Amino acid sequence: MEAKFCFLKPHFLFLLTILSFTSSLANAETHYHDFVVQQTPVKRLCKTHNIITVNGQFPGPTLTARNGDTMVIKVTNRARYNVTLHWHGIRQMRSPWADGPEYVTQCPIKPGATYTYRYTIENQEGTFWWHAHSRWLRATVYGALVVLPKSGSTYPFPTPKTEVPIILGEWWDRNIIDVLRQAIFTGNAPNVSDAYTINGQPGDLYNCSSQGTTKILVNSGDTVLLRVINAALNQQLFFSVANHKLTVVEADASYSKPFTTKVIMVGPGQTTNVLLTANRSPSRYYMAARAYASPKNAPFDNTTTTAILEYKTSKAQLSKPILPRLPAFNDSTTVRNFNKQLKGNPSIAKVSTKIDENLFFTIGLGFVNCTPGPRCQGPNNTRFAASMNNVSFILPRRTSLLQAYYQNVQGVYTTDFPPVPPVKFDYTGNVSRGLWQPRFGTKLYKLKFGSSVQIVLQDTAIFSTEDHPIHLHGYHFFVVGQGSGNFNPNRDTGKFNLVDPPVRNTIDVPVGGWAVIRFVADNPGVWLFHCHIDAHLTWGLAMAFVVENGKGELQTVQPPPADLPQC
C-alpha cells in the first residue's frame, strides 16, 4: 500500500523517503524477466487469429514481487508493430523513463529492437497490472503484476487460503490494429468487441468456448482472494459470483475499509481485490461479467463472459453452473452505491487540506469537421474528437515528451494547458453547437514540486454524458468527492470526505457528474493524465503534467538509459 506524507512540508519528504527506502533494501530482491512480444495463433469463438502476445501467452505472464523489490524486464519486440509497456499503478519514483506510454516517457520499441525496463517498487503493494501502451495493442498484450507485503508483514485482513488473478478483457474477431485504422479512417466509433473474456477465455455462453472456460477450484470453507483487473480496451464491467458475497478489501492497490457486496463495477484500468468464502453447498457457480454502458444510444457489446467456481467435493461436475444476477447495462445507481462504500484507511495516508493548485478540467467527447472529406461517419458528417478543457491532445512523433523536457528540445510541446475551462457553460445540460469542436495541441501543465493539487473532473454532455475512467501516471490520489450534475464549489466542497477518502490511480468520473481528486506533486517527470478507454485516448482525451524539481527535491530525474528507444 502506498504511503503518502501529504501532511508534511516538502523539505521533510526527502529524509523520510531515504530512510524508508534504505531500510527496505535489507530484504529486497531483484527480479529478472525476459518478455518477447510476438505474433501468436490463438483460437477463440471458433476462429484462429494471429494476435500479439508476450512469450506466446494470452494473457501474458503474471509477475510477482514484494514491496521494495526491483524489477528488470528485458523486452524484445519480434512483432510487426511498435510497442511499449506500462506498469499500471507503479509510481516510478526516480524512474520515469520506465513508465512506458509511447511518445510520453519513451519512443516505441521498434520491430527487432530491445529495451529493458528497470524500476523499484517503493511503499506500494497490492494488485497492479502491466499492458501495452502503444496504439491498441493493449487488447491482447497485458498481464497481472502482484506486489506482496514485505517479508514479515501481512495483509490487513485475514490471510486467504488461495489467491487468483481475474483479468477481464475484450476480444475482437479481427486484427485490433485494423479495427483502430477503420475507426480513424471513418471518424466514427470503433466496432464493438465480439466477446468479453476472463483470463483470456470468453466462457461457455459463447460458441466454441466451453472447453477453454476458466475454472477456479476451491475447497469448502476456503477463503479466496480474487484480484480483479479490468483490462478491457473500451468497456466498464460489472462482475459477480453466483450465490456468493464479495468483501472488497482493496481498490487500485490501496487497502480499503472492508465492505460486502454482491456485485462490483470495475472501469478500464482499475483493479479491485475481493475476498470470497466458499461457504455455499458444494456445486458449480458462474463468475460473470458484462457491460456497464452509460452513454445514451451508443452501441456496446451486450454479451456476458463467464468462468466457473467449482467446489472440489462437488458431485455436479456435469451440471450447468448457476448464473449470478448482474445489473442492467445502464444501472448507474448500483455504480454510485458501490463507489459510496469505498473508504480509505486514514492510519496509512492522510489527505492534504492545504491546496496550492486548484484545477478544473472538463472531460468528454466532441466533434470536428470532416477532414478529409467528403464523407465521415460520425454524427452529422463529422469526426469524433475528445478533449480536456476543450484541448484535444496530440502525441508528438519526433521525440517523447520526457526526452524533450529533459533535453530542452524546443517545439515539441507548450506549457499553456488551461487550468480551467476557457468557457463556462451548463456542462451536463444542453450544450451550444459552438462548443462542440475542440482545439488540438500538445499542451502540458507545470506543477511545482511539493505542491498540493486538487482537480475537479467534470463530465460534459456534448455528445452524451458518460462514465470516464481517468488514470494518472506516476501517482495515486485521494478521491475526496463525487456527485451528479455540475460541480458547485459553494454547495459541494463542504461535503468532501477528508477523513477516510479512497485512494486510487484511476477514477471513474460519474456519468453526468463530477469527481474531485487530490495529490501531492512529489514525483518529478512528465506524467500522462488520460481516459483509459482507448478509443477516447485516440480521440485526444488526455493531457500531461510536468512536475519540476525544486529545492529539497525528493529525487532527480536521472539521464535517459543508454538503450532508450529513439523515434
Side-chain angles (χ1 to χ4, degrees):
M1 167 63 201
E2 172 195 13
K4 293 186 178 179
F5 303 103
C6 299
F7 55 99
L8 295 179
K9 294 182 178 180
H11 61 271
F12 287 108
L13 293 174
F14 178 75
L15 178 60
L16 287 169
T17 301
I18 292 299
L19 290 174
S20 173
F21 180 62
T22 302
S23 64
S24 69
L25 292 177
N27 299 311
E29 297 182 18
T30 299
H31 303 265
Y32 296 90
H33 298 275
D34 286 312
F35 274 16
V36 178
V37 180
Q38 62 190 66
Q39 185 170 280
T40 303
V42 171
K43 187 174 183 179
R44 297 291 186 274
L45 306 183
C46 314
K47 299 177 183 178
T48 298
H49 296 277
N50 286 318
I51 66 172
I52 306 302
T53 68
V54 167
N55 297 349
Q57 301 177 41
F58 174 62
T62 294
L63 303 183
T64 303
R66 290 190 180 276
N67 184 357
D69 287 355
T70 295
M71 308 296 288
V72 180
I73 302 109
K74 180 182 178 182
V75 178
T76 301
N77 185 6
R78 293 182 183 163
R80 54 182 169 144
Y81 306 113
N82 292 342
V83 71
T84 66
L85 295 183
H86 170 54
W87 317 95
H88 189 108
I90 300 295
R91 292 203 57 198
Q92 301 295 353
M93 305 294 287
R94 289 176 297 280
S95 54
W97 303 104
D99 192 43
E102 65 175 352
Y103 301 112
V104 178
T105 60
Q106 67 170 98
C107 295
I109 307 169
K110 297 176 182 178
T114 296
Y115 176 55
T116 300
Y117 292 91
R118 300 173 177 86
Y119 58 89
T120 297
I121 302 164
E122 296 185 31
N123 297 318
Q124 291 186 274
E125 59 192 60
T127 300
F128 303 83
W129 63 298
W130 58 266
H131 61 81
H133 212 302
S134 43
R135 295 199 279 181
W136 287 7
L137 295 184
R138 181 167 69 84
T140 56
V141 180
Y142 59 78
L145 171 54
V146 176
V147 180
L148 302 172
K150 295 178 182 179
S151 297
S153 299
T154 60
Y155 299 127
F157 47 80
T159 302
K161 184 72 173 180
T162 57
E163 302 181 13
V164 183
I166 301 293
I167 309 180
L168 311 178
E170 286 182 277
W171 176 265
W172 275 261
D173 252 343
R174 293 178 58 199
N175 181 323
I176 193 61
I177 299 301
D178 290 341
V179 176
L180 167 63
R181 287 170 176 164
Q182 180 182 6
I184 292 174
F185 177 77
T186 64
N188 202 356
N191 291 341
V192 299
S193 56
D194 297 289
Y196 300 113
T197 58
I198 297 178
N199 291 353
Q201 294 290 343
D204 55 15
L205 300 185
Y206 297 89
N207 292 333
C208 306
S209 300
S210 295
Q211 186 173 358
T213 299
T214 298
K215 184 183 293 185
I216 309 299
L217 297 177
V218 296
N219 291 307
S220 292
D222 283 356
T223 297
V224 184
L225 179 64
L226 302 178
R227 298 178 178 271
V228 184
I229 300 166
N230 187 352
L233 206 65
N234 295 319
Q235 190 62 63
Q236 291 89 343
L237 293 166
F238 289 116
F239 174 83
S240 185
V241 181
N243 290 8
H244 289 74
K245 294 181 180 180
L246 305 175
T247 300
V248 177
V249 293
E250 177 188 309
D252 286 359
S254 296
Y255 295 128
S256 57
K257 292 181 177 179
F259 69 92
T260 300
T261 181
K262 292 182 179 179
V263 63
I264 63 174
M265 195 286 287
V266 194
Q270 291 184 328
T271 69
T272 304
N273 282 9
V274 296
L275 292 174
L276 177 150
T277 301
N279 56 5
R280 309 300 294 179
S281 60
S283 188
R284 306 169 80 225
Y285 301 86
Y286 272 134
M287 298 178 176
R290 75 176 180 200
Y292 166 51
S294 59
K296 296 179 180 179
N297 302 319
F300 67 97
D301 180 352
N302 196 22
T303 61
T304 301
T305 180
T306 56
I308 297 173
L309 180 76
E310 182 175 310
Y311 286 63
K312 294 178 181 178
T313 56
S314 172
K315 298 180 181 180
Q317 282 87 353
L318 300 179
S319 65
K320 191 173 182 63
I322 301 168
L323 192 67
R325 293 186 61 183
L326 287 163
F329 73 89
N330 59 353
D331 189 350
S332 295
T333 300
T334 291
V335 176
R336 284 194 297 268
N337 290 338
F338 172 74
N339 287 330
K340 285 179 181 178
Q341 294 182 83
L342 275 175
K343 305 291 184 183
N345 189 337
S347 66
I348 296 177
K350 296 184 183 298
V351 63
S352 178
T353 57
K354 175 181 174 293
I355 302 301
D356 301 307
E357 292 273 5
N358 199 351
L359 309 177
F360 189 111
F361 292 177
T362 54
I363 58 174
L365 306 187
F367 312 104
V368 294
N369 295 330
C370 184
T371 304
R375 294 290 299 170
C376 290
Q377 295 179 16
N380 300 316
N381 190 33
T382 61
R383 288 180 172 275
F384 273 108
S387 65
M388 289 187 177
N389 279 355
N390 205 44
V391 177
S392 191
F393 191 69
I394 298 177
L395 287 170
R397 286 294 185 269
R398 62 187 177 97
T399 187
S400 72
L401 294 174
L402 183 57
Q403 286 175 283
Y405 161 71
Y406 183 82
Q407 298 169 348
N408 197 27
V409 179
Q410 300 299 306
V412 177
Y413 62 84
T414 60
T415 55
D416 57 344
F417 185 87
V420 296
V423 177
K424 292 183 179 181
F425 58 98
D426 182 0
Y427 306 116
T428 54
N430 293 321
V431 182
S432 166
R433 290 181 65 95
L435 297 172
W436 286 11
Q437 182 161 324
R439 296 176 295 155
F440 293 87
T442 308
K443 296 179 180 294
L444 280 57
Y445 189 86
K446 281 189 176 183
L447 291 174
K448 183 180 178 181
F449 174 80
S451 59
S452 296
V453 184
Q454 174 175 289
I455 307 176
V456 178
L457 295 165
Q458 174 68 61
D459 187 26
T460 59
I462 293 174
F463 167 66
S464 171
T465 54
E466 182 173 353
D467 180 295
H468 291 279
I470 305 296
H471 173 51
L472 177 58
H473 288 236
Y475 290 87
H476 277 185
F477 48 74
F478 294 97
V479 182
V480 298
Q482 296 184 75
S484 300
N486 297 332
F487 176 74
N488 183 329
N490 296 326
R491 176 194 64 210
D492 298 321
T493 302
K495 302 176 185 177
F496 285 176
N497 178 3
L498 304 179
V499 177
D500 56 359
V503 179
R504 306 210 68 148
N505 60 55
T506 306
I507 174 63
D508 263 273
V509 179
V511 53
W514 52 269
V516 180
I517 66 173
R518 290 185 182 183
F519 63 95
V520 173
D522 59 0
N523 194 7
V526 178
W527 305 106
L528 189 63
F529 189 47
H530 68 100
C531 183
H532 219 276
I533 293 175
D534 273 24
H536 295 180
L537 176 58
T538 300
W539 292 334
L541 189 42
M543 57 84 65
F545 289 106
V546 175
V547 181
E548 296 187 313
N549 296 314
K551 290 185 177 181
E553 61 198 22
L554 182 60
Q555 67 274 323
T556 301
V557 175
Q558 299 296 324
D563 62 343
L564 187 72
Q566 301 301 308
C567 292

